[in-house]
């Protein structure tokens, strides 16, 4: 039997750098947006993870190596939080071991 296909996840935040369409926000909408952004960024390690993504990290172990002493569970949680917030995009890729 030939080598089985293996799936792995990659994380990307390239789409975050695309210019958004011009949008007019009310003061209340802007306040809510800023509160959500601040809440997301206040999590420990979040800014380091975003920087690692910007620098090219896309696999879990690449983030772990780039960020340093982050516990794996915390890294996984932060990646999911960033994905749910629309900051990072997760892709599952088929690859041979």
């Amino acid at each position: 039997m030939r080598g089985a296909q293996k799936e792995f996840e990659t994380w990307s935040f390239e789409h975050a750098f695309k210019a958004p369409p011009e949008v007019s926000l009310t003061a209340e909408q802007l306040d809510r947006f800023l509160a959500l952004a601040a809440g997301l960024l206040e999590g420990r390690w979040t800014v380091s993870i975003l920087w690692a993504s910007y620098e090219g990290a896309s696999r879990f172990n690449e983030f772990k190596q780039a960020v340093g002493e982050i516990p794996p569970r915390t890294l996984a949680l932060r990646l999911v939080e960033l994905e749910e917030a629309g900051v990072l995009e997760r892709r599952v890729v088929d690859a041979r071991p």
Side-chain angles (χ1 to χ4, degrees):
M1 184 164 120
R2 297 189 120 193
Q5 291 282 9
K6 184 177 179 182
E7 291 184 342
F8 64 91
E9 297 177 342
T10 63
W11 301 80
S12 164
F13 123 130
E14 297 165 359
H15 69 282
F17 293 108
K18 295 179 183 170
E22 298 236 356
V23 178
S24 179
L25 298 176
T26 66
E28 184 178 310
Q29 290 170 324
L30 183 59
D31 285 346
R32 278 188 290 185
F33 173 77
L34 291 175
L36 288 171
L40 181 65
L41 293 175
E42 76 181 356
R44 186 166 184 205
W45 303 105
T46 303
V47 174
S48 296
I49 292 168
L50 291 174
W51 183 255
S53 178
Y54 176 76
E55 290 289 311
S58 62
R59 295 184 183 183
F60 187 87
N61 285 331
E62 291 173 348
F63 280 104
K64 186 154 177 40
Q65 183 178 11
V67 174
E69 296 295 318
I70 185 171
R73 180 179 170 169
T74 302
L75 176 56
L77 178 64
R78 294 296 179 264
L79 288 170
V80 169
E81 287 173 354
L82 291 167
E83 178 189 16
E84 289 174 352
V87 177
L88 291 180
E89 180 180 271
R90 179 175 58 162
R91 292 184 215 132
V92 177
V93 179
D94 290 332
R96 292 182 182 226

